[in-house]
Amino acid sequence: MSRIILHVDMNCFFAAVEQQADPRLRGQPVAVIGSAKRTVILTASYEARAFGVKTGMTVHEARNRCPQLILVFADNRKYTRTSSGIIEILKEFTPQVEVFSIDEAFLDITGSLKLFGPPEQIARLIKERIREDYGLLCSIGIASNKLLAKLASEMVKPDGLTVLQPSDVPDVLEALPVRDLCGIGKKMEEQLRSFGIKTCGDLGRFPVRILRDRFGVTGDHLHRMGLGLDDSPVVPVEEADDVKSVSHSMTLETDIEKDAEIRKRLLQLSERVGRRARRHEVRGKTVTLWIRYRDFSSITRQLTRQQHTDDSSEIFSSACSLLQAETLMQPVRALGVRLSNLCRRADQLPLFEDEGKRALIGRAMDRVNDKFGSGVTFGSVLGEERGSKVISPSWRPEGARNVEFEEPDDGKRD
DNA sequence: TCTGGGGTCCTAGGACCC
DNA sequence: TCTGGGGTCCTAGGACCC
């Protein structure tokens, strides 16, 4: 039996939330940014988009296009709360809700029709509820799978409701640029063009054997995408896979070269990574150091430890040994630390007394930081927090992907 | 006053083991 | 006097998503 999938896409989410929170911003060209320096536009209101302001653009460029642009710093608590509330609304219509990002979700409403009526009616009810409760608009696409539902939601913005009937799919795909499919980016678009493939129609007709030879397993996937086929299920948050890595990175206000300065930043990053790992009860074996140089080229260096850890100072010491082994080629623009190869923290007794002490200190610091904000560290006197407070699109309402800005826990863990 | 941050997945090569 | 091959783990880099 064929499925009925909805894709709900909040329109200009961050900017729209800000306009709701502050009536003076309504009807104005607004752009949300992450930090004061070396930042990009995270979201622009439709008023700003009318001037050509886009996500990813530098502030400078955005101001050139729209001199009266109003810049607002991202307030992630606001966005995560709103997003969680919207997800709750969606769950009233089906338990099959997959949170795709902070402002997008897929719903499998195949089993909801008897209760709530036909798909379009369900979509209208959802739009009404979100508008009533939060004053926000969304675009909804309805189709037989996720790929097509997402495509449909993109077709009318803002406040769209688009149904892609199976009988319409071949015509729609025939002229649709491959780049419009979720999963085909700039590079893949270029590669496909070298085969003479420009549209989904071209892609679907292209011999799958050649795609497979060139792209491996991705080749089959591409072929199916070209035909509008996608049998991937809607995966509710509760059933989603465990997180696979935890990372933090920061672009520095100015490029740095000195080892001590770099290590100071690595300590901050390691502490944030360790803290999130502990909070979410995962430990990791592999530590990765990421360096972006002045010219934007970047390197990664990783090492795999003997044992899993969630200890900030151990993460830090791994990051430092990776740094030490490296000859820096240029001043450093940005730094990152990642912990991967994760397992759930087993609550076993620590092997050594020292390890136990460090774990206790780590968790005590976490509690202080939860209460009073970040800044309590392993003794280094650090400057102000420089890390950008940008919420990741991979944010999830629960779990380790809930990057920052979670409510402090109740402190009862230990 | 160029160009954010947090993720996932894939590839390719090498070490090592059986 | 032969020189296979599968499996697993590790590392580095890159594409892609929002």
Side-chain angles (χ1 to χ4, degrees), chain A residues 175-356:
Chain A
L176 189 80
V178 287
R179 186 70 162 82
D180 289 3
L181 294 173
C182 180
I184 298 183
K186 197 167 164 241
K187 300 286 176 180
M188 182 58 79
E189 179 189 30
E190 284 168 13
Q191 297 207 51
L192 291 175
R193 194 164 30 218
S194 73
F195 284 103
I197 300 169
K198 292 198 185 91
T199 67
C200 295
D202 298 336
L203 183 57
R205 273 186 299 273
F206 201 79
V208 63
R209 185 179 41 79
I210 302 177
L211 292 175
R212 218 178 271 150
D213 284 349
R214 174 65 188 80
F215 300 108
V217 288
T218 311
D220 279 289
H221 191 209
L222 286 168
H223 176 70
R224 293 175 54 76
M225 287 169 86
L227 296 170
L229 301 173
D230 171 23
D231 49 20
S232 66
V234 169
V235 182
V237 194
E238 304 78 31
E239 295 167 28
D241 287 347
D242 289 339
V243 69
K244 296 187 173 67
S245 66
V246 175
S247 69
H248 270 291
S249 60
M250 58 163 90
T251 295
L252 306 154
E253 285 194 2
T254 52
D255 297 347
I256 56 177
E257 284 180 273
K258 287 194 184 122
D259 241 41
E261 193 65 27
I262 294 172
R263 273 206 293 274
K264 201 161 110 182
R265 301 302 177 186
L266 290 183
L267 178 59
Q268 288 180 316
L269 292 166
S270 302
E271 272 165 355
R272 295 166 80 172
V273 168
R275 187 169 160 211
R276 239 168 73 228
R278 291 191 293 277
R279 179 178 290 167
H280 299 293
E281 312 203 333
V282 293
R283 293 168 158 239
K285 244 173 111 175
T286 303
V287 176
T288 304
L289 167 68
W290 171 78
I291 295 172
R292 171 174 277 167
Y293 289 119
R294 173 171 280 171
D295 73 351
F296 244 69
S297 64
S298 63
I299 59 161
T300 59
R301 297 291 179 260
Q302 66 180 54
L303 67 80
T304 299
R305 303 170 53 93
Q306 296 274 314
Q307 258 121 31
H308 289 83
T309 186
D310 61 5
D311 184 295
S312 300
S313 63
E314 289 182 357
I315 297 168
F316 177 57
S317 87
S318 293
C320 282
S321 46
L322 289 165
L323 175 68
Q324 202 170 6
E326 200 59 29
T327 309
L328 297 180
M329 307 308 288
Q330 295 175 43
V332 174
R333 177 191 174 88
L335 283 168
V337 172
R338 183 168 74 235
L339 186 66
S340 58
N341 228 332
L342 302 183
C343 69
R344 295 201 157 277
R345 184 180 80 201
D347 268 330
Q348 82 274 31
L349 289 171
L351 292 174
F352 305 104
E353 194 188 349
D354 187 45
E355 194 182 326

